[in-house]
Amino acid sequence: MKPANPQISSPLRQWVTNRLQTHHGRIVLAGVAVLLGYFPFWLLDLLLRALRGSSGMLLATAAALGFWQLWTQRHQLRQMVAPEEDRLLGHGLIVSGIILFPFCLSAFWSQVVICLIILVGIACSCWGVGFFSRYPLPVFLIGLGFFPKPTLVAQMVFQALAPPRILERFMAWSGGLGLQLMGYSVTVEGRDIFLPDGSVTVAWGCNGFDMATTMAVASLVLGLFLKQSRTTVLLMISVGIALALLFNIPRIMLVTIASVYWGEQWFEFWHSSWGGQIFVGVLFTIYYYVVMALVKQPTGQKP
């Protein structure tokens, strides 16, 4: 019987062996072990959130793209050596993250923050603080991918700057206008859409903001992946946000009709993430063709 191919495992075994020979290497290896141990649970949580309509998988894609860009620069990274003070700072962050991690298992966001601290510590101890200014794009993508609940942060910023419930009122008005064009007798008061047989209130979760944020993140990741110019990326983000808000209007109309006329079961279906995935599928399909038209090379231009 032949043993397993040693060429596959030898580089990894050699890397681990080399790390174990130095104090710095042992600390880095401990941090990597925590990250690898948590990775399956992090991925499973993102998958479950994605099934409920979360943008977690898009953020994971951003992080993967950032790590891939660093991998392509691995030969340059090997030439970077961290100053002693940066290495000590990195060691402190790694050890702090390892110590705090068992106490942060009750909340997803705290676990992700600890993992991000360990990653920052590894980068500081291996390549120095200058690594972050030398590779800003991969750092940004990885930070975006590990940032806990970016939609919640965007919501807080939007609500702090915009008039109260402006987006909900706009969606109620737009949905009411659409229903009127379909022949329904509709009255809109603030966030409330009134039909002769019932009414619906447009809450924050139904105003399209979460999907607009998701489309903005998706546009950013796609634009960077396709290596587009800054202007094109901003245009892609604008198109994604506009389409998300536009597609939310017929969803408001459908949920209103389902709530008033079709019964609780159909309302729950279209109001839940399962019904929302239908709109998301159509949205992403149209978005794809619009974006491909934006990034398409002019005729006759060589790649």
Side-chain angles (χ1 to χ4, degrees):
M1 179 180 296
K2 294 183 179 181
N5 188 355
Q7 295 180 353
I8 298 177
S9 56
S10 292
L12 178 60
R13 186 186 302 113
Q14 185 63 41
W15 183 84
V16 174
T17 301
N18 292 339
R19 300 287 83 74
L20 290 174
Q21 293 176 356
T22 63
H23 176 68
H24 162 67
R26 288 190 290 269
I27 293 179
V28 170
L29 192 61
V32 171
V34 171
L35 295 175
L36 292 178
Y38 179 65
F39 178 76
F41 300 98
W42 176 69
L43 194 61
L44 177 61
D45 187 271
L46 289 180
L47 179 60
L48 294 176
R49 289 170 180 264
L51 293 176
R52 298 193 296 266
S54 171
S55 60
M57 292 306 294
L58 289 174
L59 298 178
T61 303
L65 181 59
F67 282 118
W68 171 253
Q69 291 192 351
L70 289 180
W71 174 255
T72 61
Q73 303 291 325
R74 60 188 181 279
H75 300 297
Q76 290 84 352
L77 289 173
R78 289 173 183 169
Q79 307 302 320
M80 297 181 65
V81 179
E84 186 62 28
E85 58 272 16
D86 292 355
R87 176 158 294 185
L88 290 176
L89 173 62
H91 290 172
L93 291 174
I94 296 172
V95 173
S96 299
I98 294 173
I99 294 175
L100 292 175
F101 188 80
F103 302 98
C104 299
L105 298 179
S106 59
F108 175 77
W109 71 267
S110 59
Q111 298 164 14
V112 175
V113 168
I114 292 299
C115 289
L116 192 57
I117 290 175
I118 294 176
L119 282 173
V120 172
I122 292 174
C124 283
S125 63
C126 292
W127 306 305
V129 176
F131 160 82
F132 299 98
S133 59
R134 185 171 179 178
Y135 298 97
L137 181 57
V139 169
F140 170 75
L141 289 173
I142 294 172
L144 178 66
F146 278 85
F147 192 79
K149 298 183 178 181
T151 303
L152 179 59
V153 176
Q155 173 185 338
M156 295 172 61
V157 173
F158 179 81
Q159 291 179 333
L161 299 178
R165 297 175 176 174
I166 183 174
L167 193 53
E168 293 93 318
R169 296 199 301 269
F170 172 75
M171 285 297 164
W173 176 82
S174 301
L177 179 61
L179 291 172
Q180 289 178 355
L181 294 176
M182 294 176 60
Y184 288 91
S185 177
V186 180
T187 302
V188 178
E189 296 181 5
R191 300 183 300 148
D192 299 319
I193 303 175
F194 293 93
L195 291 170
D197 299 321
S199 65
V200 168
T201 299
V202 179
W204 172 265
C206 301
N207 64 8
F209 183 85
D210 289 349
M211 181 49 61
T213 305
T214 300
M215 293 301 297
V217 173
S219 301
L220 175 62
V221 174
L222 183 61
L224 295 175
F225 178 77
L226 296 176
K227 298 180 180 180
Q228 297 299 300
S229 65
R230 183 180 304 176
T231 301
T232 303
V233 172
L234 291 176
L235 184 58
M236 292 168 62
I237 293 174
S238 301
V239 169
I241 293 175
L243 286 176
L245 296 177
L246 182 63
F247 268 76
N248 194 60
I249 296 174
R251 188 184 181 192
I252 292 290
M253 296 166 57
L254 183 58
V255 169
T256 301
I257 295 173
S259 174
V260 175
Y261 296 110
W262 296 350
E264 185 70 19
Q265 181 178 358
W266 282 107
F267 169 76
E268 290 297 333
F269 174 80
W270 289 109
H271 187 259
S272 67
S273 60
W274 289 107
Q277 295 303 321
I278 297 176
F279 282 92
V280 171
V282 178
L283 169 61
F284 270 96
T285 301
I286 296 178
Y287 173 78
Y288 170 80
Y289 286 107
V290 173
V291 166
M292 288 301 101
L294 289 176
V295 303
K296 185 178 180 180
Q297 295 179 348
T299 304
Q301 179 177 342
K302 295 182 180 180

